[in-house]
Amino acid sequence: MRSILRETIQTIALAAFFILLLQGGVQNYRVEGPSMQPLLENQDGVFVNKLAYETVDAEHVARWIPGLGAAPGEVWHPFGEPEYGDVVVFRWPRDERQYFVKRIIGKPGDAIEIERGEIYRNGEPLAEPYLEHTSGETIIERVVPEGHYYVLGDNRAQSDDSRRWGFVPAENIVGELWFGYWPLERFGFF
């Protein structure tokens, strides 16, 4: 009887540990609107990897690990930083209670310009094979400030994005699009 009780408690504790780990690292969202078509459709259910861009205070970690050095204020990105083309979920800079999903087009220091719907990053035209709808608009060059990103929807004609309201602060990024779970015919990794 004692071994059954002990095994039950261990199983429950292990299950709770994995649930907490999953809750801390993955979150589900429902897509609203057509701004990311054809990649995402209205009402798609997706999981976001919240650990993808996690940061670590290097100086704090270095204090606990002998022989490990870190400069004051240094930050580590153990799983990487946001990259061009990543599809991310973020808190909208104008109302952080709302969440948007868009593709990263520009990183800190990049000059972004749009000419008749074609995107230029640092003077070079972008190849965007995922696009089906462009807007045809022209926007003068904007330089992405430090600690921010320039994001656009894949369906440019129907996307509310950095063209309208500006840059996304790095701290607003929740995570990278990871897995689609609904509808079932769109089930799978991105």
Side-chain angles (χ1 to χ4, degrees):
M1 179 71 170
R2 273 186 145 161
S3 67
I4 292 174
L5 181 59
R6 184 177 60 228
E7 286 180 23
T8 302
I9 291 171
Q10 288 174 343
T11 302
I12 291 170
L14 188 60
F17 170 76
F18 282 116
I19 287 170
L20 290 173
L21 183 66
L22 188 61
Q23 286 289 7
V26 177
Q27 187 166 345
N28 68 314
Y29 290 91
R30 176 137 341 253
V31 175
E32 293 183 18
S35 73
M36 286 302 292
Q37 288 176 332
L39 178 67
L40 300 171
E41 297 289 336
N42 188 38
Q43 299 302 306
D44 277 1
V46 297
F47 285 119
V48 171
N49 178 357
K50 294 178 2 181
L51 298 176
Y53 310 124
E54 191 62 40
T55 59
V56 175
D57 178 349
E59 189 177 9
H60 181 75
V61 172
R63 277 189 237 140
W64 294 97
I65 301 175
L68 189 62
E74 186 176 350
V75 176
W76 291 336
H77 301 273
F79 305 112
E81 296 183 61
E83 294 295 333
Y84 300 123
D86 287 358
V87 178
V88 296
V89 169
F90 57 92
R91 293 182 312 279
W92 188 37
R94 290 194 176 172
D95 180 357
E96 293 191 2
R97 294 171 297 169
Q98 293 186 46
Y99 292 85
F100 280 27
V101 58
K102 305 291 179 203
R103 188 178 300 274
I104 292 178
I105 300 297
K107 299 192 305 188
D110 286 337
I112 304 295
E113 184 177 6
I114 304 173
E115 191 174 307
R116 292 186 300 278
E118 187 167 2
I119 308 294
Y120 291 84
R121 181 173 52 225
N122 301 321
E124 298 293 323
L126 292 188
E128 298 184 285
Y130 45 81
L131 278 186
E132 285 189 6
H133 309 286
T134 63
S135 64
E137 68 189 320
T138 296
I139 296 178
I140 61 170
E141 181 178 278
R142 298 176 182 170
V143 176
V144 182
E146 193 61 40
H148 290 74
Y149 292 87
Y150 194 88
V151 297
L152 296 176
D154 287 357
N155 181 355
R156 303 281 159 76
Q158 295 187 35
S159 181
D160 184 18
D161 49 38
S162 287
R163 296 171 295 170
R164 309 283 177 264
W165 39 259
F167 309 104
V168 175
E171 61 268 12
N172 283 32
I173 296 176
V174 173
E176 183 178 13
L177 190 66
W178 182 50
F179 191 86
Y181 67 88
W182 191 260
L184 292 178
E185 60 266 13
R186 295 170 66 77
F187 185 85
F189 289 97
F190 290 100

